[in-house]
Amino acid sequence: MAIALAPKRRTDWIGLVFALALTIVILVPMLVVITWSFANVWRFPSVLPQQFGLKFWQMTLARSDVWSALSLSLTLSAVVTAISAAICLPAAYAFARMTFPGRDVLFFSFLAGQAFPKFGLLVAIAAIFLQLNLIATFWGVVLIQLVGTLLFMIWIPVAAFQSVDRRMEEAARDAGAGPLRVFWSITLPQAAPTIFSAVLLSFVGTFYETEGAWLIGAPQIRTMPVLMISFINNQPVIQYGAVLSVLLWIPSLIALVFTRRVVNSGSFARGFGG
Amino acid sequence: MTTRPPSGRAQSRGLIGLLLVAVPVGLFAWMTVWPIISGLVQAFTPTQPNGTRPFSPANFVEFFSDPYSLSNLGVTLWTCLVTLGLLLVICIPLALYLRFAQGRLAAYVQTMAMFPMFVPSIILAFAFIRVLGPNGTVDLLLNAVGLPKIRSPYLTPWGPVIGLVWDNIPLTVLILVSGLGAVSNQAVEAARDVGARPLTLFWYIVLPRIWTSVAVVISFTMLGLFSAFTLPYVLGPASPEMMGPFMQRTFGDLRDPEMALTQATVTMLFCIAFGIFYVRAVARNRGK
Amino acid sequence: MSKLTIADVSKIFSTTVAVDTFSLDVADGELVCLLGPSGSGKSTLLRMIGGFETPSSGSIRIDDEEVIHLPPEKRPTGMVFQSHALWTHMNVFQNLAFGLKLRRRPKAEIKERVEAVLDLVGLKGYGSRMTTQLSGGQQQRVALARSLVLEPKILLLDEPFASLDQHLRERLREEVRDIQQRLKITTLFVTHGQDEALALADRIVVMRDGRVEQVARPDMVYREPATPFVAGFIGTMNLIDGTVANGTFSRASFSVPLPVADGPATLAIRPEALSLTAGGQGIIHRVTDYGTHGLVDIDLPDGTRIKSMISDAKAFAAGQSVDLKPTAISAYRDNAVIYRTR
């Protein structure tokens, strides 16, 4: 493989093969979905839709179940992200900058959840929720999503706080700022871009979380992904699913734009043990 | 003027620190540690008709003597192994290419490889059906050039395999590329200098350095695959089904939380070695 | 009028003693350099004055006012950090105005004072630049300005030029000295570079293992080092361990008259105070020609290597045997001076 790097100006055949293969396998399916969403009529065996148009966008957007699912998903994501930020960011600061008994043990304890297959864990939580009558309630789903955000809403901001130069904070103390002012004027702005990525990931992650919402929320709580499953399973009109997919995809594209830098950095991969 | 005992301030700061982390730690303990313990206990203490709950492996005896459960476990293992094999075969060359190549083409390949991370699996499932399902895009194209339709993998065990491979490419590549960072350009150039051919280079120089990363990928993917739910539920066959949908059905449709917990315990026990290895790898990396 | 009084300050980190009963008076407008190798406790001392470390014991007074219980933001000190520690999310003006805003000064006054101090450090018109767009030297100037703009009673500089190259370091050193003289600001400067200390300081405090080795004017530190450590740390110095018997110091074949009591002694001779004559016990190992002068390495028969500075490098060559004639010596016993020429 290392051949690829050596002589310059030689055609990068391996790269071309990868690029072509990945384009076909990864990009084409997405294009097919987008095409479907704009197809007013597409009957077998035509390679392209017989008629393009926005008919199904209008019809999908006119469905009340889509709107209620969308508003539920947005509310859910906003609530989970806000609570998660409110409880995790102070904790992350404490982990990064304070010494207290059991700090390391508690910090690494958040990993324990990663040692178990996720759905198995969800079933165990669901069994507890069953006794607490939290099944099929909004707050039950909030709780389960919240737990899912804990690890990276603590670990990513901890790394962000730790990477803030302590001398910058000391210089601010020296200039006359008290500890709270230093945090507000120096530490937080310095850590903000990374923390913003974590918050965004938390929002998007909650928005797309399917398994917990399905297991805990069904049948009353229907988030967008849960609605999508029912469209796939029960909806004979393909275009509804296609339009919903494209709609559903928008937050992810926004996240893609904003978090690319974080994802491409080495520390992100290391966070997964790489 | 003189000595100020620093311990007073340090202690109160310690208390503040504990206070700040208390809520997330408490939440985590209540919603992760406690369910695992309580789940284990419940699975091992089946409710008797008279209401008592003595310790007994009866639930597990039932699970392992039920041919349907066993075939579900079997199809889960099969899916994991096939998916894992395919992932490694695809991602190791891809990661090697990305580690050593430069330029715009490499950047494009990297973007493409990372792209699935931003495609929610439910959208992937829909796209899969539209492309590989009956009368999907592949069928359309084959039909257009006068070839017979494919045997669609939709609703066969291959459905989840294809979906899961697609879904797991980004993180697998990321972890492998990160591991390949340990192979210095100089090491490779030195080996080429003494005349190593690409395969020799891979076998003797590169592979020894990325064993850990490969092991991390294996554990990480096993943990993810073993209880995968969405893709197997949407793309896989109704019977036998993978452990994820099986647990969901037992819990939600059959309303048998005790048996669902038993199934969850079985999946956890099957993955425990991977889980411990993975968590240790992450902790070690974070400790750096 | 701002003077600094440090009395019996100690700092103990769990098991190691970083600063050991340190006392020093710094007069108003004086520039004192704390000089020592890394780990000598000089930075810890500075950080205790700034309020970033709490002394284990002792007292720090500024204008006779105890500051030891004050947090950094309440102390009348201004610190310039080694890594400049500029706030990268603010531009130059915002960096300088931050402390003034905290003090709720009127906008017009802030603007005026920031511009004045930018002018002082030679960065007029740089206010709207982001700190990351500046060169290393400019960043350090901004850091200095950020401290000066608050008009601290005591200016603390913690190896501020350590990350800059030699040339820039020398220029900034002179600028700092000029600014300090103009503002007459009481200054403590931590460095591990003897050049910097010799060029800047009114007084130098040489530190080692958390203790004071010597406090003196720069020329005195060079000419009359109080201990063998100071002798070896400042400038080049031949330190020769030997014994004194009957008024003569000897080490192997090398001997010098030394009118002190019998016993062990360490002889200190500057290379420039050691002249060479042809023929003798020392063998020249190498002659290095620096143009203006030559430096000769001489090996004594027991392997001791001695350096001598000569005016004409061509006068001697490697392999030649020479006799060593010290013109000025110091001698130490038990870490104290027992004899000094003149």
Side-chain angles (χ1 to χ4, degrees):
Chain A
M1 218 47 59
I3 275 187
L5 89 160
K8 291 218 161 107
R9 290 185 186 285
R10 227 167 72 177
T11 313
D12 186 359
W13 287 112
I14 298 166
L16 277 176
V17 170
F18 274 130
L20 196 68
L22 285 172
T23 306
I24 292 174
V25 172
I26 288 173
L27 220 50
V28 168
M30 296 302 115
L31 290 176
V32 169
V33 174
I34 295 172
T35 313
W36 264 108
S37 78
F38 290 105
N40 284 2
V41 184
W42 192 354
R43 280 191 214 91
F44 191 80
S46 165
V47 175
L48 285 173
Q50 281 92 344
Q51 191 194 343
F52 284 100
L54 291 171
K55 183 175 132 202
F56 284 95
W57 278 85
Q58 284 158 0
M59 288 176 69
T60 309
L61 291 176
R63 292 177 66 118
S64 64
D65 56 351
V66 169
W67 283 106
S68 63
L70 183 64
S71 78
L72 176 69
S73 274
L74 289 175
T75 318
L76 188 73
S77 305
V79 168
V80 168
T81 307
I83 297 178
S84 183
I87 66 172
C88 291
L89 294 184
Y93 183 78
F95 278 126
R97 282 294 156 87
M98 294 181 179
T99 45
F100 49 87
R103 192 185 74 143
D104 289 356
V105 174
L106 292 178
F107 181 65
F108 283 106
S109 74
F110 286 100
L111 264 185
Q114 304 295 303
F116 300 97
K118 187 175 166 234
F119 204 77
L121 193 56
L122 282 175
V123 168
I125 298 174
I128 299 233
F129 278 16
L130 200 60
Q131 294 158 6
L132 298 173
N133 285 325
L134 279 169
I135 294 290
T137 65
F138 177 76
W139 291 105
V141 179
V142 166
L143 272 175
I144 201 124
Q145 311 279 43
L146 194 56
V147 171
T149 63
L150 284 182
L151 181 69
F152 64 89
M153 274 297 270
I154 286 180
W155 278 41
I156 297 178
V158 161
F161 285 131
Q162 277 173 342
S163 69
V164 176
D165 187 356
R166 263 170 186 275
R167 317 248 154 196
M168 275 192 205
E169 296 172 326
E170 289 181 348
R173 291 293 294 275
D174 199 49
L180 276 177
R181 183 66 198 244
V182 171
F183 177 78
W184 187 249
S185 294
I186 309 297
T187 317
L188 204 56
Q190 286 284 330
T194 313
I195 290 179
F196 176 72
S197 307
V199 170
L200 197 67
L201 282 174
S202 157
F203 188 93
V204 173
T206 307
F207 193 85
Y208 291 117
E209 208 282 344
T210 315
E211 311 180 342
W214 182 261
L215 190 68
I216 304 287
Q220 277 85 345
I221 304 298
R222 265 151 76 99
T223 61
M224 285 287 269
V226 172
L227 181 69
M228 187 68 207
I229 290 188
S230 71
F231 272 24
I232 291 175
N233 284 346
N234 313 319
Q235 178 52 256
V237 181
I238 292 163
Q239 281 91 331
Y240 281 129
V243 172
L244 198 65
S245 294
V246 177
L247 267 180
L248 197 54
W249 202 12
I250 293 169
S252 188
L253 285 180
I254 297 171
L256 171 74
V257 172
F258 283 104
T259 56
R260 223 168 53 145
R261 211 174 43 109
V262 177
V263 170
N264 278 338
S265 72
S267 62
F268 186 79
R270 276 206 302 281
F272 286 95
Chain B
M1 276 265 352
T2 56
T3 327
R4 217 156 43 87
S7 57
R9 197 167 128 207
Q11 235 167 38
S12 75
R13 265 179 80 78
L15 218 64
I16 293 173
L18 268 179
L19 220 66
L20 287 177
V21 303
V23 179
V25 168
L27 192 64
F28 184 77
W30 177 47
M31 299 240 330
T32 301
V33 181
W34 170 239
I36 290 169
I37 296 169
S38 135
L40 269 175
V41 171
Q42 283 192 50
F44 275 103
T45 54
T47 315
Q48 302 300 312
N50 60 10
T52 56
R53 310 188 55 134
F55 174 84
S56 139
N59 280 329
F60 294 89
V61 172
E62 190 186 333
F63 180 92
F64 283 105
S65 57
D66 173 27
Y68 185 62
S69 302
L70 284 179
S71 73
N72 286 346
L73 190 61
V75 80
T76 305
L77 281 170
W78 179 86
T79 308
C80 286
L81 292 178
V82 173
T83 307
L84 199 57
L86 283 173
L87 263 179
L88 289 177
V89 167
I90 294 168
C91 293
I92 290 182
L94 196 53
L96 281 169
Y97 170 75
L98 288 175
R99 166 66 183 83
F100 292 109
Q102 281 161 357
R104 284 160 63 179
L105 193 63
Y108 176 77
V109 171
Q110 159 125 13
T111 309
M112 277 297 117
M114 292 303 115
F115 191 74
M117 198 184 290
F118 295 92
V119 179
S121 38
I122 190 68
I123 298 179
L124 162 65
F126 183 79
F128 174 96
I129 298 169
R130 294 278 53 87
V131 174
L132 288 173
N135 290 353
T137 310
V138 173
D139 278 352
L140 285 182
L141 294 175
L142 288 177
N143 184 61
V145 293
L147 289 171
K149 293 179 181 178
I150 51 160
R151 272 180 54 207
S152 171
Y154 180 43
L155 301 184
T156 76
W158 284 100
V161 168
I162 296 171
L164 289 167
V165 167
W166 203 89
D167 218 20
N168 278 293
I169 283 177
L171 277 178
T172 308
V173 169
L174 261 182
I175 294 172
L176 287 176
V177 169
S178 165
L180 280 169
V183 186
S184 72
N185 279 343
Q186 278 102 327
V188 172
E189 277 157 18
R192 288 169 59 85
D193 195 44
V194 297
R197 316 258 320 155
L199 262 182
T200 327
L201 200 65
F202 175 70
W203 195 253
Y204 289 102
I205 309 293
V206 175
L207 207 54
R209 303 284 179 92
I210 61 166
W211 273 128
T212 333
S213 296
V214 172
V216 167
V217 164
I218 291 175
S219 329
F220 178 74
T221 345
M222 280 305 275
L223 283 170
L225 296 181
F226 212 91
S227 75
F229 170 74
T230 309
L231 291 172
Y233 178 74
V234 177
L235 300 180
S239 164
E241 56 195 341
M242 279 180 71
M243 290 306 285
F246 185 35
M247 285 186 267
Q248 190 273 332
R249 216 167 42 76
T250 312
F251 183 88
D253 301 347
L254 304 181
R255 308 229 165 249
D256 186 357
E258 200 170 287
M259 206 55 218
L261 279 175
T262 307
Q263 292 156 3
T265 308
V266 169
T267 63
M268 286 182 188
L269 292 179
F270 258 91
C271 294
I272 196 74
F274 297 113
I276 291 171
F277 178 83
Y278 176 66
V279 162
R280 279 189 50 189
V282 174
R284 204 176 47 235
N285 267 334
R286 193 57 181 68
K288 271 178 198 164
Chain C
M1 291 296 282
S2 296
K3 62 181 173 110
L4 173 69
T5 314
I6 306 166
D8 298 325
V9 165
S10 295
K11 177 69 184 177
I12 298 160
F13 288 115
S14 59
T15 54
T16 53
V17 181
V19 175
D20 191 358
T21 50
F22 182 98
S23 296
L24 178 73
D25 284 321
V26 185
D28 181 41
E30 191 181 20
L31 195 162
V32 172
C33 269
L34 298 174
L35 176 65
S38 53
S40 60
K42 54 194 194 308
S43 276
T44 307
L45 186 68
L46 202 74
R47 290 172 59 77
M48 286 194 284
I49 300 166
F52 302 110
E53 306 282 355
T54 314
S56 308
S57 65
S59 140
I60 298 170
R61 290 190 297 274
I62 296 171
D63 289 340
D64 295 322
E65 214 170 296
E66 183 61 63
V67 296
I68 215 156
H69 54 278
L70 295 177
E73 61 268 29
K74 299 263 167 61
R75 295 196 188 193
T77 53
M79 181 119 156
V80 179
F81 293 86
Q82 179 178 345
S83 55
H84 64 74
L86 293 176
W87 304 308
T88 49
H89 59 290
M90 303 180 186
N91 66 21
V92 171
F93 182 90
Q94 288 163 332
N95 264 274
L96 301 193
F98 183 71
L100 294 169
K101 274 189 188 149
L102 290 174
R103 286 164 179 70
R104 303 189 188 286
R105 313 309 306 184
K107 267 210 170 102
E109 186 197 326
I110 292 179
K111 194 161 181 290
E112 190 185 323
R113 279 172 70 174
V114 168
E115 274 170 10
V117 79
L118 274 178
D119 197 17
L120 184 72
V121 297
L123 287 175
K124 201 173 180 175
Y126 278 70
S128 57
R129 296 280 190 96
M130 288 311 285
T131 55
T132 44
Q133 297 171 327
L134 302 178
S135 69
Q138 288 169 334
Q139 286 172 333
Q140 211 49 267
R141 282 195 183 95
V142 174
L144 177 65
R146 184 173 65 182
S147 293
L148 290 176
V149 77
L150 297 172
E151 295 172 359
K153 288 184 172 176
I154 313 285
L155 182 63
L156 307 169
L157 299 112
D158 188 6
E159 307 208 24
F161 310 139
S163 57
L164 306 178
D165 66 53
Q166 179 70 25
H167 180 69
L168 200 55
R169 201 151 54 201
E170 281 171 21
R171 236 177 68 194
L172 277 173
R173 178 202 296 169
E174 280 162 31
E175 285 179 26
V176 165
R177 185 60 169 157
D178 287 346
I179 290 170
Q180 191 267 338
Q181 303 247 300
R182 213 179 323 160
L183 301 178
K184 297 263 181 285
I185 184 169
T186 312
T187 303
L188 230 65
F189 192 110
V190 161
T191 178
H192 63 259
Q194 39 154 325
D195 301 355
E196 214 153 77
L198 291 171
L200 272 173
D202 293 317
R203 273 192 304 158
I204 292 178
V205 178
V206 183
M207 290 184 69
R208 177 200 192 186
D209 297 337
R211 288 203 201 91
V212 176
E213 286 278 315
Q214 184 173 10
V215 183
R217 293 204 323 267
D219 56 328
M220 294 303 283
V221 172
Y222 187 82
R223 294 214 176 79
E224 298 186 358
T227 65
F229 174 78
V230 177
F233 192 70
I234 311 275
T236 314
M237 181 69 94
N238 295 302
L239 287 171
I240 308 159
D241 290 323
T243 47
V244 181
N246 303 323
T248 306
F249 171 92
S250 50
R251 162 72 180 250
S253 61
F254 175 73
S255 59
V256 181
L258 193 62
V260 296
D262 289 1
T266 302
L267 206 60
I269 312 167
R270 293 277 179 208
E272 62 266 30
L274 193 64
S275 61
L276 302 179
T277 51
Q281 292 283 331
I283 305 292
I284 293 181
H285 172 73
R286 177 191 292 128
V287 180
T288 314
D289 190 346
Y290 285 102
T292 54
H293 62 277
L295 206 58
V296 187
D297 292 323
I298 303 128
D299 286 338
L300 295 185
D302 70 337
T304 313
R305 180 159 294 172
I306 290 176
K307 285 180 188 298
S308 163
M309 193 195 283
I310 53 176
S311 52
D312 181 10
K314 297 277 186 287
F316 294 93
Q320 208 177 334
S321 59
V322 286
D323 198 24
L324 308 166
K325 282 263 178 337
T327 55
I329 58 170
S330 301
Y332 301 90
R333 184 179 290 162
D334 299 331
N335 214 29
V337 181
I338 50 172
Y339 176 80
R340 197 163 262 154
T341 321
R342 272 175 289 155

